[in-house]
Amino acid sequence: MTLADLTLTESRPAQLADYPAGASYGPRRLPDFELVWLVTGSARLTLEPGPARADAYGCTLLPGDLAITRPGDRDHYAWDPRVPSRHAYLHFTVDALGHLPDPMTWPPMRSFSDFPVLESLCDYLLALAGDDGASARQRSSQVLHWLVDLYVTGPLPNDPMAGLPTSVGEALERVREIWTREGLRLIHVGELADDAHVSAAHLHRVFKASLGTGPARCLELVRLWQAATALQRSSATVSDVGALCGYPDRFHFSRRFRHLYAMSPREARFENGALDPAGPLRRAGLLGLAQKLLAPTRPT
C-alpha cells in the first residue's frame, strides 16, 4: 500500500458533539468530505442525492459505526429519541485521489467490529486534536490518510468462520472460549458435540465437509503449531512446551510432533531456518481459522 499519491487536507481537527434525545440536524449540503463515528446513542442518517449521486441512501449508525459523507450530498441526522447521543466528526478535502477509486463508489459506512484498526485510528485522531503543536497536526494528517485509505480499499480481513455450518461455528466458538479460559488443552470431539447439540459423528462429518479435516485433527494442528513456535522462541523445556499445548505426556507429545513435522521437538528447536511452524496449517488452508481461534477476545 502506498499513500504517496493520495493527498487529503483536514479542514479542522476531529471534534466531539453531543445531542439531546430526539434532536435532529440538517438537512445541509456538504461542501467537503466528513467522517462521522458514533460514540453513544444512535442516529438515523439520510443522504439525499448530490449532483453526481444517483440514489438516496439511509442507514442507522450505532456506536462503533463510521460513515463518510461526500461533497454535494445533503445529509440529515435524526438522533436517538430515547437517550442523548455523542459522535465525533472530522471534515477534509481530497486534493488528489491517487490510487483510490471514484468517491461515489466508496462505502458509505463501516463497522469497527469488522475492521478494529479503524477504531484505533479514530481514537488517535481525537487524542491528537487536543494538541495544537505542529508535530501533532502533521501526525493527524498522516493518520487521516491511513484511515481513509483503509476505509475505502481495505483489505477487510476475511472471517474464516463466516458461512460455516451452525454446528461447526458453535463448536469453534466453544474452542475459543475454552482455550481463552483454560489454555490450549485437549478438547475431545464429544465435548464439542454436546455443546453444539449434535452427535460426535455428525460433527465430524460436517467439520470435514466444510474444512477438509475433522475437529480433532484441526485442533491438534493448532496446538502443535503453537508448540513448534514456542520451541523456536523460548527456552522452555520440551516437557513444559508439551504441557502448555495440551500434551502432559512428553513421549506422546514427541510422537505427535514428529508425525507432523518429521523431526523431534528437540531437533525443531535448532531448525529455525528449516522448520515453518505454520506450514501444516497453511497447507491445510486452516491458518486463518487458527489465528481466529487464538485471537484475543475483547469485551463488546
Side-chain angles (χ1 to χ4, degrees), residues 171 174-175 178 187-197 203 215 219:
R174 180 62 175 153
V175 170
I178 292 173
I187 305 174
H188 294 286
V189 176
E191 181 180 354
L192 296 178
D194 289 343
D195 290 333
H197 307 291
L203 182 61
L219 301 189

Side-chain angles (χ1 to χ4, degrees), residues 6-258:
L6 171 63
T7 306
L8 309 177
T9 302
E10 290 180 65
S11 302
R12 60 180 65 88
Q15 300 180 66
L16 288 167
D18 289 279
Y19 297 88
S24 64
Y25 179 53
R28 59 167 178 170
R29 185 74 69 183
L30 285 160
D32 53 11
F33 291 85
E34 184 180 43
L35 277 170
V36 173
W37 61 100
L38 263 289
V39 180
T40 60
S42 68
R44 179 64 186 174
L45 169 62
T46 303
L47 294 175
E48 299 177 6
R53 193 178 185 91
D55 300 308
Y57 175 80
C59 66
T60 297
L61 300 177
L62 300 172
D65 290 336
L66 173 66
I68 289 185
T69 50
R70 304 157 181 78
D73 285 345
R74 187 181 295 275
D75 65 349
H76 178 268
Y77 290 88
W79 300 98
D80 197 311
R82 302 158 300 172
V83 297
S85 297
R86 169 176 289 177
H87 82 293
Y89 65 98
L90 182 150
H91 288 265
F92 66 95
T93 58
V94 177
D95 305 306
L97 275 171
H99 66 285
L100 294 187
D102 186 331
M104 294 304 113
T105 68
W106 292 7
M109 176 180 157
R110 292 284 200 200
S111 172
F112 290 156
S113 62
D114 295 331
F115 211 175
V117 68
L118 294 178
E119 181 175 21
S120 298
L121 293 175
C122 287
D123 288 346
Y124 192 30
L125 281 174
L126 280 174
L128 290 169
D131 186 338
D132 197 37
S135 60
R137 290 195 298 271
Q138 180 181 15
R139 181 63 73 193
S140 181
S141 177
Q142 293 171 336
V143 173
L144 176 63
H145 279 67
W146 269 100
L147 194 154
V148 172
D149 185 66
L150 289 168
Y151 177 101
V152 175
T153 65
L156 280 173
N158 294 320
D159 184 354
M161 291 171 60
L164 293 176
T166 300
S167 58
V168 175
E170 290 177 351
L172 291 172
E173 287 295 346
R174 180 62 175 153
V175 170
R176 290 190 70 191
E177 294 173 7
I178 292 173
W179 281 354
T180 297
R181 185 177 64 250
E182 304 176 30
L184 296 180
R185 72 165 173 86
L186 173 67
I187 305 174
H188 294 286
V189 176
E191 181 180 354
L192 296 178
D194 289 343
D195 290 333
H197 307 291
V198 296
S199 69
H202 175 78
L203 182 61
H204 180 86
R205 285 195 300 272
V206 294
F207 218 98
K208 189 166 186 178
S210 55
L211 293 173
T213 188
R217 173 66 171 170
C218 175
L219 301 189
E220 184 174 55
L221 287 175
V222 179
R223 292 189 294 127
L224 288 173
W225 165 48
Q226 288 300 285
T229 302
L231 288 167
Q232 289 188 343
R233 299 181 62 86
S234 80
S235 60
T237 66
V238 170
S239 294
D240 286 345
V241 169
L244 176 72
C245 298
Y247 296 91
D249 184 304
R250 173 177 175 173
F251 298 102
H252 178 61
F253 170 51
S254 295
R255 285 196 301 272
R256 298 308 299 163
F257 192 96
R258 183 183 290 276

Side-chain angles (χ1 to χ4, degrees), residues 278-293:
L281 278 166
R282 188 177 292 108
R283 289 189 291 273
L286 296 172
L287 183 57
L289 178 63
Q291 298 278 20
K292 177 85 171 184
L293 291 176

